[in-house]
Amino acid sequence: MSAVPHPLPAPQEPVAHPELVQLGTALEGDEPCLRADAARNRARLLEAAGRLVAERGAEAVTMEAVAAEARVGKGTVFRRFGDRTGLLTALLDHSEKKFQASFLGGPPPLGPGAPPVERLRAFGCAMLRRSTEDLELQLAAEPCASRRFTNPARSVLRHHVVMLLRQAVPDADCELLSHALMGQLDPALIHHLTQQCGLPMARLEDAWTDLVDRVTGTAPTG
């Protein structure tokens, strides 16, 4: 690859990346009882939204439907989550944090301790497998175009890819290359390939490994 200057300094291991935004949390100066009430109300709304997903699918989760299920006013749901995307993102919060923990501090090759190319291979395959569990919810929670690439959870994932690319191919434009790689892990594309084209997940994993090897100029060992 031709040398391309990258203006940003190479990041350290991103152990302190921001997590998913918790919309509607209490302010620092609130009374403990108010914070506890807010947490209970938030949990109650998420339980209601979870029941709707389980019973009728993610498309049934609207602010109005969640308010009716939880027997609260619609304004309460908006104040707690901002909008439908915020609500669906909050539903994904637990699995997102679990996945972040696995690649930020879990065992190799997904976590620290393996060579960067091995970690890239493991990262994409893990994301693909995770999508089989949460794909419908991920699609429903997809941010609008103006927020798609600034979404905190997505930024954590892409910055992790940037870090590994800078270790594996330091002469590349890793910022832009990370967007190209993440495109293959896009939930909408995964839905199209698996649900509409009928491709098995194993083929998508093989294609990811092949892409990483071609981008980094390496091949799997063993």
Side-chain angles (χ1 to χ4, degrees), residues 160-184:
H160 181 67
V161 171
V162 171
M163 182 202 71
L164 295 177
L165 284 171
R166 283 181 172 158
Q167 294 174 3
V169 282
D171 61 335
D173 187 342
C174 298
E175 286 287 334
L176 289 182
L177 194 56
S178 69
H179 285 288
L181 287 176
M182 289 296 293
Q184 187 144 336

Side-chain angles (χ1 to χ4, degrees), residues 134-211:
D134 295 326
L135 187 56
E136 184 182 359
L137 197 51
Q138 287 181 24
L139 290 172
E142 191 74 6
C144 62
S146 63
R147 294 164 53 188
R148 186 173 188 184
F149 298 103
T150 58
N151 175 275
R154 183 168 301 193
S155 294
V156 170
L157 300 175
R158 193 184 66 79
H159 288 155
H160 181 67
V161 171
V162 171
M163 182 202 71
L164 295 177
L165 284 171
R166 283 181 172 158
Q167 294 174 3
V169 282
D171 61 335
D173 187 342
C174 298
E175 286 287 334
L176 289 182
L177 194 56
S178 69
H179 285 288
L181 287 176
M182 289 296 293
Q184 187 144 336
L185 305 174
D186 183 75
L189 177 61
I190 294 171
H191 176 268
H192 169 68
L193 294 175
T194 59
Q195 303 300 315
Q196 297 176 320
C197 298
L199 300 186
M201 186 58 68
R203 183 172 172 185
L204 271 62
E205 293 181 19
D206 289 344
W208 169 262
T209 299
D210 180 63
L211 177 61

Side-chain angles (χ1 to χ4, degrees), residues 52-85:
L52 289 174
V53 172
E55 295 170 3
R56 291 186 271 165
E59 290 300 319
V61 179
T62 65
M63 306 301 264
E64 294 82 359
V66 171
E69 181 72 16
R71 298 183 180 179
V72 299
K74 184 172 67 173
T76 300
V77 187
F78 277 99
R79 284 192 298 273
R80 190 59 55 201
F81 300 103
D83 57 17
R84 182 174 182 268
T85 297

